[in-house]
Amino acid sequence: MLVEIDEHGMISHARVRHARSLQIERGKRAGAITGIVVHQTDADTSASSLNSYKRPKANGAHFLIDKDGTIYQTAAIYQRTNHVGPLQARCLVMKKCSLSDFPEKVEPTAMHRMEMLKAPADRYPSNMEAVGIEMVGRARLPVGFKPPTKQLKFPIEKIRGIHGIYDAPTPAQNQSLSWLVRVLQDSMQIAEGEVFRHPVVSRKNPTEAEGAIWTLPVPTP
């Protein structure tokens, strides 16, 4: 399913609202787009995320999907944005390497540097190669949750970031996500197996985008 994409990487389609924020763009990509990373915003509303993207040197992804299924394009596709974070080793999942191939107690930054020495086809897509899609949804602490003793002095936001459970995406969000992923795959020749939840490619809360579905049947055009 093809859509019109202008020279900057903005999609022209009735389902996509332009809300481009130059503050989250980090310059033109140096290589091909090879994958898609699906996130959740850790916010209750689209407005809070859209407003945060207007701050100087803000971070964000290329698209934002509201709970009612509205799709906002917040950055040009051909621009890099900071949304992925340090990469995990894809070779461990593909069983092409083992933990013994890495230094003992390798830190996330060190593993990321090692991964970035590989060709894009041999690792997860980084900020340079990935299109980012955010879905509005917040991580919430379970009712009655008590943090471990060693974390009692942590700020509540840090505790929530570690132990919070993200909202399940709404049916409307998953329908829009499926449409958008299909459009990006077909229009930019992104392989079907190159769509990932954020915690898969980086060290993030494992419940982020846990309920994201991008394989639903979608109507055309």
Side-chain angles (χ1 to χ4, degrees):
M1 185 165 52
L2 303 178
V3 294
E4 181 182 345
I5 302 175
D6 71 17
E7 69 273 18
H8 302 293
M10 298 298 292
I11 290 177
S12 178
H13 193 281
R15 290 196 67 167
V16 180
R17 298 186 183 182
H18 288 185
R20 185 178 180 183
S21 294
L22 299 180
Q23 291 86 345
I24 68 174
E25 296 181 353
R26 296 291 186 271
K28 193 172 182 179
R29 298 180 190 270
I33 295 171
T34 62
I36 298 170
V37 177
V38 181
H39 309 254
Q40 282 182 287
T41 60
D42 198 14
D44 286 308
T45 67
S46 59
S48 62
S49 295
L50 292 172
N51 288 333
S52 74
Y53 294 167
K54 297 176 183 177
R55 298 170 186 162
K57 299 182 180 180
N59 290 327
H62 299 85
F63 297 92
L64 174 68
I65 302 178
D66 206 345
K67 291 183 177 181
D68 66 358
T70 300
I71 301 172
Y72 297 93
Q73 184 169 1
T74 50
I77 292 172
Y78 300 135
Q79 289 280 323
R80 175 175 61 86
T81 72
N82 289 341
H83 64 96
V84 175
L87 295 181
Q88 301 217 60
R90 188 174 188 177
C91 61
L92 292 172
V93 177
M94 300 172 70
K95 301 189 183 304
K96 292 185 176 181
C97 68
S98 66
L99 286 175
S100 62
D101 296 319
F102 296 90
E104 187 177 0
K105 296 182 180 180
V106 60
E107 296 296 326
T109 300
M111 180 174 283
H112 174 77
R113 288 173 179 162
M114 295 174 69
E115 288 300 293
M116 290 303 292
L117 294 174
K118 302 175 182 178
D122 296 327
R123 56 173 169 79
Y124 290 120
S126 70
N127 289 325
M128 188 59 73
E129 300 92 18
V131 172
I133 302 174
E134 290 272 15
M135 304 174 79
V136 175
R138 188 165 175 81
R140 307 176 195 278
L141 289 173
V143 176
F145 173 82
K146 294 182 179 180
T149 302
K150 63 181 180 180
Q151 297 178 0
L152 287 174
K153 294 184 179 180
F154 286 5
I156 187 62
E157 285 301 296
K158 183 174 182 178
I159 294 174
R160 192 176 58 78
I162 298 171
H163 300 287
I165 298 174
Y166 273 86
D167 296 336
T170 68
Q173 282 180 307
N174 278 333
Q175 192 66 56
S176 289
L177 177 65
S178 296
W179 180 87
L180 182 56
V181 166
R182 175 77 62 80
V183 160
L184 292 170
Q185 287 176 326
D186 292 352
S187 300
M188 311 202 70
Q189 298 182 337
I190 297 172
E192 186 172 339
E194 297 301 305
V195 185
F196 307 97
R197 295 170 50 246
H198 196 193
V200 171
V201 303
S202 190
R203 289 170 171 80
K204 299 296 177 181
N205 184 312
T207 69
E208 182 183 350
E210 188 171 38
I213 302 172
W214 51 82
T215 56
L216 297 175
V218 295
T220 56

